[in-house]
Amino acid sequence: MPALPRRAALSLAIALLGPLAGPLVGCASGPSADLYQTFGGQPGLVALVDDFMDGMMRDPDLRPYFVNANRPHIKAELAAQFCAILGGPCEYKGMDMKMAHARYGIGDHEFNALVQDLQDAMDLHHIPYRAQNRFLAMLAPYRDDVVHPAPPSRVRPLLTIAPDAVVVPETVPTGGPQNKPPPR
């Protein structure tokens, strides 16, 4: 059986382990000051998020979500969130993930592309695979809050009226409305 590409393997692992990852976050694989420092502390996270956003802007599947967005704000929120998740001294005060992503119609394809762009940014910063995997395991519980496929388009059915249901007068009254009271 051929090996899965790294993107597919990790995306599959996140999809399958997502519901189980919550309990794992409290284990030794959870947040720690050491893990935070492996990512370079706050300066490392800011640089990582910069490259992550650059990757998403180059990604044809993700660019439409960010092209008109306030990218500096999103990057600051991501850096704070990543810092808090990794065990750094930050506190994430942004929106919860479900509310922040609900209206965008993000499906599995876009989520997997985002994971790949994050992995590419972590590779660019030479973050060890073990640390990447720990971080991805901590992010996995957010998958269900982020993925909200767009509802099917609602096409209104054609209005069908029986031909004899509408009566059209042969002539249209002229002169506009009358101010006279109706006859008694």
Side-chain angles (χ1 to χ4, degrees):
M1 180 168 152
L4 288 172
R6 182 169 176 236
R7 175 181 183 166
L10 283 170
S11 295
L12 179 62
I14 287 171
L16 294 175
L17 294 176
L20 303 175
L24 296 176
V25 172
C27 298
S29 64
S32 70
D34 289 342
L35 184 59
Y36 172 70
Q37 289 306 320
T38 300
F39 278 76
Q42 192 63 25
L45 287 175
V46 169
L48 173 69
V49 168
D50 283 342
D51 289 328
F52 179 36
M53 181 61 74
D54 290 347
M56 290 188 293
M57 289 303 294
R58 286 188 304 270
D59 190 320
D61 293 321
L62 299 178
R63 181 179 172 77
Y65 293 97
F66 297 100
V67 72
N68 293 317
N70 181 347
R71 290 189 298 278
H73 174 74
I74 293 171
K75 291 192 303 187
E77 292 292 325
L78 282 172
Q81 186 179 33
F82 288 2
C83 174
I85 289 170
L86 289 166
C90 308
E91 182 179 346
Y92 175 68
K93 296 179 182 180
M95 294 174 71
D96 70 73
M97 294 296 95
K98 185 170 275 202
M99 183 178 287
H101 297 90
R103 67 178 183 215
Y104 294 108
I106 297 169
D108 288 324
H109 179 78
E110 293 84 6
F111 182 80
N112 293 341
L114 180 134
V115 170
Q116 180 63 50
D117 290 339
L118 178 56
Q119 289 172 296
D120 292 345
M122 290 188 291
D123 286 346
L124 185 66
H125 288 265
H126 307 287
I127 295 170
Y129 289 129
R130 181 180 166 110
Q132 289 186 33
N133 289 338
R134 286 177 63 188
F135 184 45
L136 291 172
M138 288 184 271
L139 293 174
Y142 295 104
R143 183 217 168 269
D144 289 341
D145 291 340
V146 172
V147 175
H148 296 280
S153 63
R154 296 184 63 196
V155 177
R156 293 184 179 199
L158 294 175
L159 181 61
T160 55
I161 300 175
D164 59 350
V166 177
V167 177
V168 178
E170 291 182 25
T171 61
V172 177
T174 59
Q178 303 293 324
N179 290 332
K180 297 179 188 175
R184 289 189 190 220

